[in-house]
Amino acid sequence: MVEISSDVIRGYNDTMILYILMREPSYGYNISKEIKRISDGKYAIKETTLYSAFTRMEKNGYIESFVANPDPEGNGKKRTYYRITNHGKEYYSNKCEEWDLTKEVVELFIEDKGE
Amino acid sequence: MVEISSDVIRGYNDTMILYILMREPSYGYNISKEIKRISDGKYAIKETTLYSAFTRMEKNGYIESFVANPDPEGNGKKRTYYRITNHGKEYYSNKCEEWDLTKEVVELFIEDKGE
DNA sequence: CAGCCGTACTACGACAATCGTAGTACGACT
DNA sequence: AGTCGTACTACGATTGTCGTAGTACGGCTG
């Protein structure tokens, strides 16, 4: 079975997180589940990777955190939510462009079995 | 200008090197030039990255080194050539499969401007 | 024949993202 | 009362890449 190695995905974990935050603010556990769902179970971000990405991205100004209750009534345990900033949107957009270029280059060195 | 970041390409430098060695044995300087040529100048591997990749890959049994003269007459300075092993071919092939999967997954989190 | 450019490396330490392991703590359900 | 799922935090190790530096040989040019 082929598995995605961390060295490959390195540098795109941030992009995946931001993709989710582009839609609406979210928090660690939910983002983790979303990534698994969107990738149809093909990829699961490690918890430690996820939370350290939050710290880094907040420091870089790509995201902002706020603590809130899961429901408006104020019930349940408070969570740390993250929302994407304008700077983060710009960063995400650059990452997408970078991906296109990277893909183009890497493919030149890939030989598919079928060909 | 969009540039390929090292974190993205991380894990594919080996693949690029092996792609070149799949064709014929080669050596550092030449591989470096080949990567630049094949990628049409879009990507240049750093010297230190290249040589440390050699060490690692030889230790892992993906490549074998031998020292030889550049021409059959025995003229010129001797170089360290590398040839891919069967184990290396297998590894390369796995990397190609892995790439297909990675590409599939990452694209799910990419939004292109045109769309 | 001196000097420089291109070739062909080696050494070393720093960095940064990921990972493994571990532990905490709350709430809901049984 | 205990377990499961949720929601994190801490910490140290690992690994590939990078920056900087230095060595050394051969070929060409002035």
Side-chain angles (χ1 to χ4, degrees):
Chain A
M1 212 278 253
V2 185
E3 266 186 59
I4 294 176
S5 84
S6 55
D7 270 337
V8 178
I9 219 72
R10 195 185 174 106
Y12 275 93
N13 278 320
D14 288 9
T15 311
M16 293 187 193
I17 295 165
L18 292 177
Y19 171 83
I20 289 159
L21 296 181
M22 284 287 277
R23 286 137 180 241
E24 54 174 350
S26 187
Y27 57 96
Y29 195 76
N30 190 54
I31 290 173
S32 160
K33 279 196 301 180
E34 273 295 281
I35 289 178
K36 213 182 286 179
R37 188 188 62 77
I38 294 170
S39 72
D40 200 28
K42 294 193 185 76
Y43 182 61
I45 193 168
K46 299 282 183 301
E47 271 183 272
T48 40
T49 303
L50 179 62
Y51 289 105
S52 78
F54 284 151
T55 310
R56 184 182 354 108
M57 290 203 288
E58 185 159 30
K59 208 168 67 189
N60 291 338
Y62 302 150
I63 55 175
E64 284 167 353
S65 66
F66 60 97
V67 176
N69 285 103
D71 76 293
E73 311 294 301
N75 296 319
K77 202 184 170 184
K78 287 190 173 192
R79 302 168 183 143
T80 307
Y81 285 81
Y82 293 91
R83 93 165 58 82
I84 192 165
T85 62
N86 286 332
H87 189 32
K89 284 177 190 168
E90 211 181 293
Y91 176 74
Y92 171 77
S93 160
N94 286 337
K95 274 290 179 180
C96 290
E97 274 189 70
E98 188 193 273
W99 166 254
D100 288 341
L101 179 61
T102 304
K103 190 179 67 173
E104 208 186 301
V105 168
V106 173
E107 302 242 282
L108 295 166
F109 297 88
I110 294 293
E111 269 168 18
D112 283 315
K113 281 182 177 169
E115 293 174 40
Chain B
M1 209 279 254
V2 186
E3 266 187 60
I4 294 177
S5 85
S6 55
D7 269 338
V8 178
I9 219 70
R10 196 185 174 108
Y12 275 92
N13 278 318
D14 288 10
T15 311
M16 293 188 193
I17 295 165
L18 292 176
Y19 171 83
I20 289 158
L21 296 180
M22 284 287 277
R23 285 136 181 242
E24 55 175 349
S26 187
Y27 57 97
Y29 195 76
N30 190 56
I31 290 172
S32 160
K33 279 197 299 182
E34 273 295 281
I35 289 178
K36 213 181 287 179
R37 188 188 62 77
I38 293 169
S39 72
D40 201 27
K42 294 192 186 77
Y43 183 61
I45 192 168
K46 298 282 183 304
E47 270 183 272
T48 38
T49 303
L50 180 61
Y51 289 106
S52 79
F54 284 152
T55 310
R56 184 182 355 106
M57 289 203 288
E58 184 160 31
K59 208 169 65 189
N60 291 339
Y62 301 150
I63 56 176
E64 285 168 353
S65 66
F66 59 98
V67 176
N69 286 101
D71 76 293
E73 312 291 303
N75 296 319
K77 201 185 171 185
K78 287 192 176 194
R79 299 170 186 143
T80 306
Y81 286 81
Y82 293 91
R83 95 164 56 82
I84 192 166
T85 62
N86 287 331
H87 190 34
K89 285 177 190 170
E90 211 182 296
Y91 176 74
Y92 171 77
S93 160
N94 286 337
K95 274 290 181 183
C96 291
E97 274 188 71
E98 190 193 271
W99 166 254
D100 287 339
L101 179 60
T102 303
K103 191 179 64 173
E104 208 185 301
V105 168
V106 173
E107 302 242 283
L108 295 167
F109 298 87
I110 295 292
E111 268 168 19
D112 284 316
K113 280 181 179 169
E115 292 174 41

